[in-house]
Amino acid sequence: SFHKSKGQHILKNPLLVDSIVQKAGIKTTDVILEIGPGTGNLTKKLLEAGKSVIAVEIDPRMVLELHRRFQGTPLSNRLKVIQGDVLKCDLPYFDICVANIPYQISSPLTFKLLAHRPLFRAAVIMFQREFAMRLVAQPGDTLYCRLSVNTQLLARVSHLLKVGKNNFRPPPKVDSSVVRIEPRGPLGPVNFKEWDGLVRICFNRKNKTIGSIFRQKSVLSLLEKNYRTLQALQLSEKGPSDDMEMTLDVSALGETFGDLSMDADDGKDDDEMELDDGDAKRADFKEKVLSVLKEGKYEDKRSSKLAQADFMHLLSLFNKAGIHFS
Ligand code: SAM
C-alpha cells in the first residue's frame, strides 16, 4: 500500500521512464543522485546508464523493497541507499540528479540542490505541472513570480516533458512535468537577504508599477527604518562589511515557496505616504527612493515584466543610495 502523505506515486509506464533517462543526458561516468526511489523503476534504468546511484528514501519499507529488488544482481554494488529525509540529510557528491519526487518538497528541495557545492551538472526532476511552469516562466508570462526569478537567479531552467497523471500508480490529482535545472556558475557577490527583500516587495503587487509599489506607506517606512538603523550603525563604526555578503546561504531562498498561491496579487494597496505635519525627513526619504527609481527608469515598469537582471540592477541602485532591504 502507498502512503499519500509521503507523495508515493510510482511510475508505471516503462517508456516514460526510458524517455526521462534518455533526456537527462547521463554519462557512463556519472554519479547520480536519486531522491525518493520508491520501488526502484527509475533507479534500475539510472544504474544501467551511469556509474553509480545514491538514492535517498524516507520510507523504510521502500528501502527494503529496493534492496530486495537489486540483491544478487550485478547492479547492486553500484547502488547506495540512504534512508532518511532528503531535506534533513547532507547530500553527497553527485554529477547529476534525476528524480520523481513527492511534490510537497518541491520548493525546499530545489533550493537545497541549488545551494549544494560543488555545483552539479544538472537536475532533471518531475514536478507538479503548475510548479514546473512557474519555474520556467519568463517575464510577461502569467505564471511569472518570485519562484521564477529566484530560481532563474541561480539556474537555467527548461521544460523537458509533459507527463499525464495516468502514468503513475496511484494517479495523483494533478498533471506533471519534467524540468531540467542547470545551476549557473559562480554568482558574484549577491546578498540573498537583500535580494529576497526587494523581490518580495516587488511581487507582492506584481501587476502594479514599481513606482506605485514604492510609494506605499508600509514599504517606505520599512525602508526608512532600515536606512536609519544602518546610519546609526555606521556612525558607531559597526556597519556591516561588504565581504559579509558573500557568506549568506542561498538555501534561505527556498524556505518560502511552499504555497503556490503566494503572489496571487489580491492584496489591498496601502495609502500613499502623505507629507503630513511638515515631516521633512520622511519627505526627503521618499524623494530619495523615487529618485533611485527614476535613475534606473523603473517607475513605470511592472514586476511581472522585469527580468532577473533588472531586479539585480534595481537592487544595486538602491544599495548605492544606501537603501537596504534587510
Ligand atoms: N521514484 C519512484 C518512482 O518514480 O516510481 C517513486 C516516486 S514517489 C512520487 C516519491 C518517493 O519519495 C516515495 O517513495 C516516498 O516514500 C519518497 N519520499 C517522500 N518524502 C521524502 C523525503 N522527504 N525524503 C526522501 N524520500 C521521500
Side-chain angles (χ1 to χ4, degrees):
S1 68
F2 297 112
H3 277 246
K4 246 195 174 159
S5 65
K6 296 195 183 79
Q8 290 177 344
H9 300 279
I10 300 303
L11 273 173
K12 63 166 196 190
N13 177 354
L15 292 179
L16 175 63
V17 178
D18 284 341
S19 168
I20 293 170
V21 172
Q22 185 238 318
K23 280 181 189 279
I26 294 164
K27 299 178 184 166
T28 52
T29 52
D30 277 344
V31 176
I32 306 167
L33 175 69
E34 187 187 0
I35 295 145
T39 55
N41 290 349
L42 180 57
T43 319
K44 179 162 181 289
K45 307 270 165 97
L46 294 176
L47 282 165
E48 288 162 0
K51 186 175 106 189
S52 62
V53 174
I54 304 166
V56 184
E57 171 60 59
I58 202 170
D59 186 344
R61 300 173 317 156
M62 292 292 184
V63 173
L64 251 174
E65 168 97 17
L66 213 59
H67 279 134
R68 221 179 277 143
R69 179 169 185 172
F70 295 108
Q71 216 167 44
T73 77
L75 298 178
S76 74
N77 53 5
R78 293 192 283 114
L79 170 64
K80 186 178 164 199
V81 185
I82 298 172
Q83 191 194 320
D85 181 342
V86 68
L87 295 180
K88 292 191 183 133
C89 73
D90 286 330
L91 296 178
Y93 173 90
F94 62 96
D95 298 297
I96 187 165
C97 171
V98 185
N100 170 25
I101 62 165
Y103 295 151
Q104 60 267 33
I105 66 170
S106 297
S107 166
L109 177 69
T110 300
F111 288 93
K112 177 166 183 156
L113 290 175
L114 290 174
H116 180 74
R117 296 294 180 274
L119 289 176
F120 49 95
R121 194 168 74 245
V124 175
I125 300 181
M126 179 92 69
F127 292 110
Q128 175 177 340
R129 176 80 48 81
E130 178 166 340
F131 187 89
M133 294 329 254
R134 283 177 183 263
L135 280 181
V136 304
Q138 295 296 306
D141 293 349
T142 325
L143 289 175
Y144 189 61
C145 62
R146 219 152 53 80
L147 176 64
S148 329
V149 249
N150 282 347
T151 310
Q152 291 168 34
L153 172 71
L154 304 169
R156 268 178 255 283
V157 280
S158 53
H159 185 277
L160 287 185
L161 197 64
K162 286 188 173 184
V163 179
K165 31 175 161 302
N166 291 325
N167 290 289
F168 302 87
R169 195 172 48 108
K173 287 204 188 72
V174 289
D175 284 329
S176 303
S177 276
V178 180
V179 171
R180 183 180 188 86
I181 301 173
E182 290 173 26
R184 293 182 198 276
L187 267 178
V190 185
N191 181 323
F192 293 107
K193 278 196 186 145
E194 285 282 303
W195 167 270
D196 190 43
L198 169 72
V199 169
R200 271 171 195 271
I201 288 173
C202 292
F203 276 95
N204 203 15
R205 307 301 319 274
K206 72 169 178 175
N207 294 315
K208 293 270 166 193
T209 63
I210 297 289
S212 72
I213 286 171
F214 281 92
R215 280 187 178 85
Q216 290 177 97
K217 212 189 262 177
S218 61
V219 172
L220 281 169
S221 59
L222 172 77
L223 295 185
E224 188 172 5
K225 205 174 117 221
N226 292 347
Y227 184 74
R228 305 276 170 234
T229 309
L230 202 67
Q231 273 194 331
L233 278 171
Q234 274 160 354
L235 282 178
S236 64
E237 287 182 304
K238 281 183 194 138
S241 69
D242 280 344
D243 27 300
M244 184 183 118
E245 304 192 338
M246 306 285 289
T247 63
L248 288 164
D249 188 353
V250 300
S251 63
L253 291 181
E255 288 158 18
T256 49
F257 299 105
D259 178 11
L260 283 176
S261 64
M262 66 221 164
D263 46 27
D265 203 4
D266 55 3
K268 279 225 170 73
D269 265 347
D270 274 329
D271 300 335
E272 237 190 67
M273 183 160 117
E274 281 173 34
L275 306 180
D276 51 348
D277 14 295
D279 190 340
K281 251 185 169 180
R282 281 167 79 194
D284 282 354
F285 186 76
K286 182 178 180 178
E287 275 320 303
K288 196 175 175 61
V289 169
L290 295 182
S291 72
V292 168
L293 299 183
K294 285 201 186 87
E295 183 189 349
K297 303 196 169 60
Y298 286 106
E299 249 204 307
D300 301 324
K301 305 232 165 95
R302 293 164 208 277
S303 304
S304 57
K305 301 257 167 68
L306 291 181
Q308 166 259 119
D310 298 320
F311 289 110
M312 196 65 95
H313 178 232
L314 180 56
L315 181 58
S316 74
L317 293 180
F318 271 125
N319 286 175
K320 211 173 67 195
I323 297 168
H324 289 268
F325 293 82
S326 61

